[in-house]
Structures are given as structure tokens and as C-alpha cells.
């Protein structure tokens, strides 16, 4: 472990100790050339500042709280990893607070909770207007929303309506009866996910310009088991050949697996479209809507760090545009319905 001090770094970089401190605290007033000299000296000496002393000297915790519905879903795993990577590069720690359900959320409606003792908050997905009076969190610290938007805070989000609309238009061109797998409503009435509402609304509007018949919607939980159960119900009732829009890749994956077990040929008997473009979707040859999850997570962290470095302008919105990625799950030849072999129901 390096025994060099901040004074050693200052001497090697030929700057004052205060300048080194400002570089360590990511202060915007330091010129780039000076910052580069200090960082080079830190690297050459292997200097590691005492985190406890840094917190006391700076009057900060150098910690960011990330509040999100759950941690088991792949979307949030990728998002949190991207946020943490950016924060770590800027010498900030991250604390995760999964809110999970009504009882836990209600504990975080008051400002005395530990999550609000961080220097800033990144909140994922939740509709603040339904949780907090007038849509404000109980904190004076900077807040950035990701996977949601607000007039009060910096927001990073995907245009989910447009993504759903792309799928609707694409399904219309396929010319087959259509089904959807959507997210079921939260029985506690807390986790109202506008993301999935927008995806479904966009899909319906994109399909509306055609004469394609919408056959039914099969809501389920946002996990493999929920997708598997909904897939069984859907395939028991479906008319083949058909198109299915699953509002998340995890649901589409469950459907592809269940279709295979029943002897259906995906891409021919049933065309499957997902949403998210998870890393494994390419191996599964799933047609899906791509969203840049890691880029969104990093931008959310950058926005918060900019606030902590002194930016005090009006709330900003970083809106990302999705695009459709076409793969084999929709590209196979469709046989007439009477020739499709359907497994026992």
C-alpha cells in the first residue's frame, strides 16, 4: 500500500495541496492541463487518499443512493453496473436501495431515511407524482431520474411509446393475427410502470393503421416464471400462425422456450418480438427493440455528478430513441394455418 501523502503529489505535480484536493473532489475550476498533471502524479506515486479524511474535509459523504423497484431483473442489473462504473471513475461510492413494495416505499417517504443522507439520489422507474407530494423527493440534494421523467428533476429515459409503435408497424407488415404479453398491474397500486404502459399504447397505435386483428393481451410478472405462465395461457388460446409482442425480452424468451416444447417453429408458426435487446437475445435470434441501457445509466450518473460539481441550471431531459433489431424469430416462412402442427393443448 502506498505511503505517499497529498503533499508528495503536490510536489511532484508542482502545484499546491489545495489544487490536488480540488482535483480529487472533481472541482470544475481546475484547468484540464493542471488536472492531467495531478492525475499523472497520483498514478505514478500510487497515491490513495484516505476516504474518511476526504469525507470530513469535503463535507460530503461521496456516496450516491440508487433507489429502484428491484435488483433481480436484468435491466436493473445492467443499469446499476453502468451507474456504478461512472461513479467509481469519479471516486464516488454507490448504495443501492431496492424499494420492492408498499411497506418499504412508505418507509422512504420521510427525509430521515439513510438513503437521503447521500450526496445525491438516482431514482429508477417510479412515478414520483404518485409517491411524493407534488412530485418532489424529501431531500434538498440533487436528484436524477432514470427510466422515467419529471419536470422537477434531470431525467434520462427511452421513448418507449415510439419503441412500441415501431413494433406495431412491423407486426402490421407481417400481416398475422397479433397477441401481446404485457406487465401485470401491481396489486398494491404502487409500482405503476409507465414504461410498459407506453410500450403497449405505442404498439396498439402502430397496429391501428392496418386491418390486423388484435387477438388478446396476456399480462404477467416481469420474470421468467411469469412469462412462462403467460406463454402457456397464450399458446393454449392462440390461432396460428400469429405474431406476439412481448413487452420485455425476458417474457419473449419464456415464450420461445414454451413454443419449442410444443413443437412450434418460431419465426414460422409464431413470430416473436421482444423489447430491450438483452445480450442473450442475439443468441436466441430474437427480433427485439434495442435500448442503450448502459449509456442511459452512465448519463444519469454524469448528470448527477454535474449537479454535485456546481451546475444549477433548469432540469434537463436526456431522451433516447430506440430502434428495431430484426432477427430469425420473425423471419421464417409462415405456413398456412391448416398445415401447422400444434401440440396438445
Amino acid at each position: 500500500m502506498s505511503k505517499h501523502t497529498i503533499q508528495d503529489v503536490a510536489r511532484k505535480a508542482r502545484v499546491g495541496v489545495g489544487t490536488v484536493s480540488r482535483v480529487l473532489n472533481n472541482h470544475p475550476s481546475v484547468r484540464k492541463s493542471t488536472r492531467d498533471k495531478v492525475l499523472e502524479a497520483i498514478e505514478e506515486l500510487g497515491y490513495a487518499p484516505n476516504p474518511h479524511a476526504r469525507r470530513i474535509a469535503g463535507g460530503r459523504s461521496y456516496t450516491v443512493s440508487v433507489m429502484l423497484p428491484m435488483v433481480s431483473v436484468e435491466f436493473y442489473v445492467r443499469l446499476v453496473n453502468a451507474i456504478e462504473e461512472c461513479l467509481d471513475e469519479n471516486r464516488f461510492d454507490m448504495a443501492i436501495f431496492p424499494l420492492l413494495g408498499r411497506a418499504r416505499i412508505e418507509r422512504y417517504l420521510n427525509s430521515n431515511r439513510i438513503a437521503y443522507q447521500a450526496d445525491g439520489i438516482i431514482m429508477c422507474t417510479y412515478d414520483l407524482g404518485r409517491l411524493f407530494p407534488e412530485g418532489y423527493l424529501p431531500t434538498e440534494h440533487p436528484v436524477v431520474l432514470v427510466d422515467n421523467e419529471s419536470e422537477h428533476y434531470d431525467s434520462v429515459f427511452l421513448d418507449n411509446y415510439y419503441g412500441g409503435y415501431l413494433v406495431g408497424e412491423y407486426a402490421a407488415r407481417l400481416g398475422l393475427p397479433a397477441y401481446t404479453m404485457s406487465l401485470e398491474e401491481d396489486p398494491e397500486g404502487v409500482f405503476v410502470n409507465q414504461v410498459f404502459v407506453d410500450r403497449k399504447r405505442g404498439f396498439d397505435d402502430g397496429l391501428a393503421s392496418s386491418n390486423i386483428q388484435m387477438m388478446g393481451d396476456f399480462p404477467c410478472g416481469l420474470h421468467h416464471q411469469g412469462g412462462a405462465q403467460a406463454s402457456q395461457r397464450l399458446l393454449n388460446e392462440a390461432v396460428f400462425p400469429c405474431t406476439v409482442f412481448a413487452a420485455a425480452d425476458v417474457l419473449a424468451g419464456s415464450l420461445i422456450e414454451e413454443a419449442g416444447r410444443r413443437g412450434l417453429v418460431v419465426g414460422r408458426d409464431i413470430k416473436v418480438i421482444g423489447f430491450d435487446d438483452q445480450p442473450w437475445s442475439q443468441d436466441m435470434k430474437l427480433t427485439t427493440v434495442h435500448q442503450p441501457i448502459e449509456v442511459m445509466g452512465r448519463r444519469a450518473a454524469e448528470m448527477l455528478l454535474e449537479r454535485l460539481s456546481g451546475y444549477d441550471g433548469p432540469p434537463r431531459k436526456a431522451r433516447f430513441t430506440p430502434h428495431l433489431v430484426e432477427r430469425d424469430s420473425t423471419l421464417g416462412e409462415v405456413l398456412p394455418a391448416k398445415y401447422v402442427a400444434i401440440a396438445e393443448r
Side-chain angles (χ1 to χ4, degrees):
M1 183 175 178
S2 173
K3 294 184 178 180
H4 288 289
T5 66
I6 191 171
Q7 288 81 7
D8 296 330
V9 174
R11 281 193 292 270
K12 187 169 185 62
R14 297 184 179 181
V15 298
V17 170
T19 299
V20 176
S21 178
R22 284 191 290 275
V23 171
L24 292 173
N25 292 318
N26 199 32
H27 198 281
S29 67
V30 182
R31 291 196 302 269
K32 183 179 184 304
S33 58
T34 303
R35 185 184 304 276
D36 291 344
K37 280 197 308 181
V38 172
L39 292 175
E40 183 178 350
I42 289 172
E43 184 174 354
E44 289 183 9
L45 294 175
Y47 170 67
N50 183 313
H52 181 64
R54 179 174 177 240
R55 285 168 167 77
I56 293 174
R60 287 181 171 180
S61 69
Y62 290 92
T63 300
V64 169
S65 292
V66 178
M67 303 171 74
L68 70 171
M70 61 196 80
V71 293
S72 58
V73 174
E74 190 169 10
F75 171 86
Y76 292 116
V77 173
R78 292 174 59 190
L79 187 71
V80 165
N81 284 342
I83 292 171
E84 184 177 36
E85 181 179 12
C86 183
L87 293 176
D88 186 63
E89 291 170 4
N90 290 273
R91 309 178 71 82
F92 276 77
D93 293 325
M94 179 182 71
I96 300 176
F97 295 88
L99 301 182
L100 302 176
R102 176 179 292 277
R104 191 172 176 87
I105 287 174
E106 288 178 348
R107 290 200 295 270
Y108 283 90
L109 298 181
N110 299 315
S111 60
N112 62 351
R113 305 305 300 183
I114 191 171
Y116 300 119
Q117 296 176 23
D119 295 328
I121 312 291
I122 295 177
M123 191 171 196
C124 307
T125 305
Y126 279 101
D127 181 354
L128 295 184
R130 293 180 60 90
L131 300 176
F132 301 96
E134 300 181 3
Y136 286 98
L137 269 69
T139 178
E140 297 298 321
H141 294 312
V143 174
V144 174
L145 304 184
V146 59
D147 201 35
N148 202 352
E149 60 178 309
S150 165
E151 298 301 321
H152 306 311
Y153 298 118
D154 293 330
S155 307
V156 179
F157 58 95
L158 187 80
D159 189 338
N160 285 281
Y161 172 85
Y162 179 68
Y165 191 88
L166 290 176
V167 178
E169 284 191 322
Y170 183 71
R173 293 196 298 272
L174 293 176
L176 299 173
Y179 298 85
T180 54
M181 296 173 67
S182 60
L183 185 67
E184 64 186 0
E185 293 184 6
D186 174 17
E188 294 185 322
V190 175
F191 182 34
V192 177
N193 196 322
Q194 190 63 36
V195 166
F196 288 90
V197 172
D198 289 346
R199 291 179 187 180
K200 178 65 165 58
R201 185 168 57 89
F203 175 80
D204 291 342
D205 288 351
L207 198 67
S209 60
S210 70
N211 59 357
I212 300 301
Q213 185 175 2
M214 181 63 196
M215 304 294 289
D217 177 46
F218 293 81
C220 56
L222 189 59
H223 43 73
H224 184 272
Q225 181 181 2
Q229 293 171 348
S231 297
Q232 292 167 10
R233 299 196 307 272
L234 189 157
L235 295 177
N236 285 343
E237 299 179 19
V239 176
F240 301 98
C242 63
T243 298
V244 179
F245 170 43
D249 284 351
V250 64
L251 308 182
S254 298
L255 178 62
I256 289 174
E257 291 177 1
E258 182 62 25
R261 280 191 286 269
R262 297 185 182 215
L264 296 167
V265 178
V266 175
R268 186 192 67 185
D269 307 333
I270 179 170
K271 295 182 180 289
V272 181
I273 309 167
F275 203 115
D276 288 331
D277 198 15
Q278 298 290 3
W280 49 263
S281 63
Q282 184 171 0
D283 293 335
M284 193 168 270
K285 300 179 181 179
L286 173 65
T287 294
T288 186
V289 176
H290 176 80
Q291 66 168 321
I293 298 173
E294 284 77 13
V295 177
M296 291 166 60
R298 173 169 284 272
R299 185 62 190 125
E302 290 171 347
M303 279 182 160
L304 188 65
L305 292 170
E306 289 161 6
R307 290 283 179 187
L308 292 173
S309 295
Y311 174 78
D312 62 353
R316 301 162 292 175
K317 292 189 177 184
R319 173 183 171 274
F320 289 83
T321 302
H323 65 270
L324 188 73
V325 181
E326 192 177 33
R327 300 191 180 109
D328 289 356
S329 70
T330 56
L331 294 176
E333 180 182 358
V334 178
L335 298 180
K338 64 180 180 179
Y339 295 120
V340 176
I342 302 174
E344 289 184 7
R345 296 183 174 182

